[in-house]
Amino acid sequence: MVKNIASLMTLMLTISTLLYFSIQSDKHIDLSKYSTEGLDLDYTVKREANQYYDFTKSLNIDKDYEYSPYLGKSFVGFKEALAFKESGGNYFSVNTFGYLGKYQFGASTLRLIGIHNTQKFLKDPKLQEKAFVANLARNKWILRRDIKNFVGKRINGVIVTESGILAAAHLAGPGAVKKYLRSYGLDNFADGFGTTVYYYMKRFSGYDTTFVKADKKARAI
């Protein structure tokens, strides 16, 4: 037993001594003298492993696509969905009929909400957002009785909602929406591309547009 303890202590002393001298010797190593210059290096790790992982490849999706949070039926969801349908969300878009911006406004509609310089409007995203809200507020005031009388009713198989009415008014103007509702869908206006009031009533149904307050004199400027 005593012999085993003595052997163990001798081993521990030997290890301690070796560690001490190893540490002391490292303090005097001049690493500047060491270099890999001129050596034939052979890496065992593939180069691709150091590149960042591109998740779009595994999901088989387009890297140029702009991703955004799911906006649901919120007001922001409403305006972004409408903008995507109108212009693909492009503030600087001008279509073949001369409609301008993210929400594709006509010059005559812009004048109604106080905007007379269309070129300035096209270059100003903030002004375009203000114009969109102002136009909604104005249309909501014009259509206030129709909203009260028709929301919840079914026309051409589609339940009428406030957001559907406002979207259709953006497309065709409030007068065309009045005709559509009061004819119970028989007078169905279509724009130059063939898009109808009915389609917008259906496509933009059920969004929350309570944010918009009816305002007869709404202006963007």
Side-chain angles (χ1 to χ4, degrees), residues 8 13 18 35 39 54 58 72 76-77 96 103 126 130 146 165 211:
L8 181 60
L13 180 61
L18 290 173
S35 173
L39 296 179
D54 185 357
S58 63
V76 176
T96 54
Y103 302 100
K126 289 184 178 180
K130 290 180 180 178
D146 297 274
I165 289 175
F211 168 83

Side-chain angles (χ1 to χ4, degrees), residues 42-104:
D42 183 16
Y43 293 102
T44 58
V45 180
K46 292 182 179 180
R47 184 178 180 183
E48 289 77 13
N50 289 326
Q51 296 177 344
Y52 82 94
Y53 179 67
D54 185 357
F55 76 95
T56 59
K57 291 181 179 179
S58 63
L59 296 178
N60 193 30
I61 52 182
D62 184 359
K63 287 189 292 185
D64 294 328
Y65 182 82
E66 291 188 12
Y67 299 95
S68 61
Y70 177 68
L71 300 173
K73 292 291 187 176
S74 66
F75 176 72
V76 176
F78 170 72
K79 74 183 188 68
E80 293 304 319
L82 187 57
F84 185 80
K85 178 65 178 67
E86 292 286 337
S87 71
N90 182 1
Y91 283 108
F92 311 106
S93 172
V94 181
N95 76 6
T96 54
F97 295 101
Y99 288 87
L100 307 164
K102 180 178 177 180
Y103 302 100
Q104 295 291 279

Side-chain angles (χ1 to χ4, degrees), residues 2 64 132 165 185 219:
V2 175
D64 294 328
F132 179 70
I165 289 175
R219 296 292 183 272

Side-chain angles (χ1 to χ4, degrees), residues 8 29 53 57 71 98 149 167 175 179 182-183 203:
L8 181 60
I29 295 176
Y53 179 67
K57 291 181 179 179
L71 300 173
N149 293 333
K179 291 178 180 179
R182 295 177 187 184
S183 70
R203 172 64 182 82

Side-chain angles (χ1 to χ4, degrees), residues 72-194:
K73 292 291 187 176
S74 66
F75 176 72
V76 176
F78 170 72
K79 74 183 188 68
E80 293 304 319
L82 187 57
F84 185 80
K85 178 65 178 67
E86 292 286 337
S87 71
N90 182 1
Y91 283 108
F92 311 106
S93 172
V94 181
N95 76 6
T96 54
F97 295 101
Y99 288 87
L100 307 164
K102 180 178 177 180
Y103 302 100
Q104 295 291 279
F105 277 98
S108 59
T109 300
L110 290 176
R111 287 193 291 270
L112 292 174
I113 54 176
I115 298 172
H116 299 276
N117 188 331
T118 56
Q119 291 305 309
K120 180 181 178 181
F121 169 79
L122 192 61
K123 297 175 182 178
D124 191 340
K126 289 184 178 180
L127 182 57
Q128 291 188 34
E129 295 296 339
K130 290 180 180 178
F132 179 70
V133 175
N135 191 52
L136 285 179
R138 181 177 176 276
N139 286 340
K140 191 169 182 176
W141 185 85
I142 295 171
L143 292 163
R144 63 196 185 281
R145 293 189 180 90
D146 297 274
I147 290 171
K148 181 179 179 181
N149 293 333
F150 288 97
V151 165
K153 294 183 178 180
R154 190 179 294 272
I155 297 178
N156 286 337
V158 175
I159 295 177
V160 177
T161 65
E162 181 179 285
S163 62
I165 289 175
L166 294 179
H170 183 85
L171 170 77
V177 175
K178 283 186 178 185
K179 291 178 180 179
Y180 176 84
L181 293 172
R182 295 177 187 184
S183 70
Y184 282 85
L186 294 177
D187 192 336
N188 187 18
F189 170 90
D191 71 0
F193 295 106

